[in-house]
Amino acid sequence: MTDAAAPERRARVVLVDDHRMFRTGVRAEIGRTEETGIVVVGEADDVESAVRVVAETRPDVVLLDVHLPGGGGVEVLRRSVGVEGVRFLALSVSDAAEDVIGVIRGGARGYVTKTITGADLVNAIFRISDGDAVFSPRLAGFVLDAFAATDTPPIDEDLDRLTQREREVLRLIARGYAYKEIAKQLFISVKTVESHVSAVLRKLQLSNRHELTRWATARRLV
């Protein structure tokens, strides 16, 4: 009966929070793998250790506190941009606008508060792993309003640095198109695509297409 009730799916998770007792509680609540399907593969209590553990373990989902020694959750997101296949879910006591918008802009796929139940957190982890966006109910409408508001952080300033063609290439790169596919779709040469990508990376001060994809996704351009 136990085997029949055991979840078929598994999700590998890293816990990032600077309070050891909170991490212990979360691990005890969701880390019963045979019941929840969650495998806790690592923990961290500051930015440096979080970046290292995420790179070493490459989990499916990182439960990320917003306020951390060494620069906060946004810094973990920024420095983990090159680790493929990892998704981030903010788990914080804070519901302040700057905290929510900051980590979502940084690339987190969702934001839930620490009042969430264990069962709901497990569900949120699997949804994030599947590519969904997850927010605590009272934050969902707020997040949508904040991204639609005219007084949000000035994204247009960054986009205004790009030509129309560079924006087209940016969106296609962020959607996973290969250079040859972009060239065919835009009726330009592969060499021209490469030139546009180099220009976009330079103007946005990014290093590679993974950072570019994260940048575009955070700004809802994809």
Side-chain angles (χ1 to χ4, degrees):
M1 182 177 296
T2 301
D3 291 339
E8 297 180 1
R9 296 189 58 193
R10 293 286 187 269
R12 301 172 68 254
V13 172
V14 163
L15 308 178
V16 180
D17 194 288
D18 61 339
H19 291 94
R20 183 176 60 83
M21 289 184 64
F22 178 76
R23 297 198 311 274
T24 300
V26 172
R27 179 187 280 268
E29 185 71 24
I30 71 172
R32 303 183 303 276
T33 305
E34 293 306 314
E35 297 177 29
T36 65
I38 302 298
V39 184
V40 178
V41 296
E43 296 184 17
D45 60 3
D46 60 15
V47 170
E48 291 297 330
S49 60
V51 172
R52 183 178 64 254
V53 171
V54 169
E56 289 175 351
T57 62
R58 295 178 177 270
D60 300 306
V61 177
V62 178
L63 292 182
L64 181 66
D65 192 13
V66 174
H67 300 292
L68 292 168
V74 172
E75 182 66 10
V76 176
L77 287 161
R78 186 186 71 79
R79 293 176 56 183
S80 301
V81 70
V83 185
E84 295 185 36
V86 180
R87 294 186 170 94
F88 291 81
L89 172 61
L91 175 61
S92 176
V93 69
S94 170
D95 60 2
E98 60 269 24
D99 290 335
V100 179
I101 300 304
V103 294
I104 298 304
R105 292 262 190 243
R109 294 288 303 175
Y111 195 113
V112 295
T113 62
K114 290 181 177 179
T115 58
I116 193 170
T117 67
D120 285 344
L121 182 56
V122 169
N123 181 57
I125 289 169
F126 279 111
R127 287 180 59 192
I128 292 291
S129 180
D130 287 339
D132 290 343
V134 179
F135 297 95
S136 290
R138 67 182 303 271
L139 298 181
F142 161 72
V143 171
L144 291 174
D145 291 343
F147 273 91
T150 56
D151 59 347
T152 50
I155 305 170
D156 287 346
E157 260 186 33
D158 292 330
L159 286 177
D160 283 346
R161 299 174 191 168
L162 308 181
T163 66
Q164 184 60 39
R165 179 63 86 189
E166 287 169 351
R167 295 185 195 190
E168 292 172 350
V169 171
L170 162 67
R171 289 187 174 92
L172 292 173
I173 284 289
R175 290 171 183 167
Y177 284 75
Y179 285 4
K180 287 184 179 179
E181 295 172 322
I182 296 173
K184 183 176 181 180
Q185 184 160 334
L186 298 181
F187 301 100
I188 57 179
S189 69
V190 173
K191 187 173 182 179
T192 300
V193 173
E194 293 173 347
S195 296
H196 285 315
V197 172
S198 295
V200 170
L201 292 175
R202 183 181 69 254
K203 291 179 180 180
L204 299 181
Q205 299 183 340
L206 302 173
S207 300
N208 53 55
R209 67 181 297 163
H210 299 301
E211 290 186 4
L212 187 152
T213 298
R214 182 64 64 87
W215 188 94
T217 301
R219 287 157 179 78
R220 306 170 77 91
L221 299 176
V222 181

